Amino acid sequence: MKSQQITYEDGLTRNPTLRDHMAAMVHRGAGLTAVAGQLDMAPSKLSEKLAGCDSGGKPRGLSIDDLERYIQATKDVSPVHYLIERYLVTPEAATAEALAELHQHLSALSGTLSKLGIKWP
């Protein structure tokens, strides 16, 4: 079994679904028209897929092929990171990460307190 350490932007799962995350990335990034062009898709079709349905309410989904084409065309791997954060981060890893972050904050606080003349262990 291979093991790999991945560093990515924290908080990707603030969007409730992968579809919502991808929609946010499209609109925050190059924009709907540019990304649709990269995917060789009409902007209206991409918009429907990102919304999950057309204007009449008929379901329109992003396929796995659409996801792979999006990642390949835009070089945006954040959808993969979204899935990792959502499904592969163990509670132990989350706790270890929180403790490391706490240690960083306490170290910074210690330096600030020292500048103020307050002794901190």
Side-chain angles (χ1 to χ4, degrees):
M1 178 190 318
K2 288 187 175 185
S3 177
Q4 184 175 7
Q5 186 170 1
I6 298 173
T7 304
Y8 59 93
E9 176 187 349
D10 192 27
L12 295 176
T13 56
R14 63 184 164 268
N15 293 302
T17 66
L18 178 58
R19 180 189 319 277
D20 291 336
H21 170 75
M22 288 182 63
M25 297 308 292
V26 166
H27 293 293
R28 186 171 45 162
L32 184 70
T33 303
V35 173
Q38 290 176 303
L39 300 177
D40 195 27
M41 186 183 298
S44 60
K45 186 173 181 180
L46 178 58
S47 180
E48 289 175 351
K49 287 178 176 247
L50 291 172
C53 62
D54 63 16
S55 59
K58 185 174 180 183
R60 297 281 187 249
L62 282 164
S63 70
I64 292 172
D65 293 335
D66 292 332
L67 173 62
E68 286 192 45
R69 277 199 325 269
Y70 170 82
I71 293 169
Q72 184 177 24
T74 65
K75 308 297 186 237
D76 174 18
V77 295
S78 70
V80 176
H81 294 165
Y82 175 94
L83 293 171
I84 289 169
E85 183 177 328
R86 188 155 197 90
Y87 298 107
L88 292 182
V89 175
T90 65
E92 294 82 10
T95 299
E97 189 173 316
L99 286 171
E101 188 176 324
L102 177 62
H103 183 268
Q104 259 185 330
H105 290 302
L106 289 174
S107 293
L109 180 62
S110 177
T112 303
L113 291 174
S114 178
K115 289 178 186 176
L116 294 171
I118 301 171
K119 291 190 179 192
W120 179 272

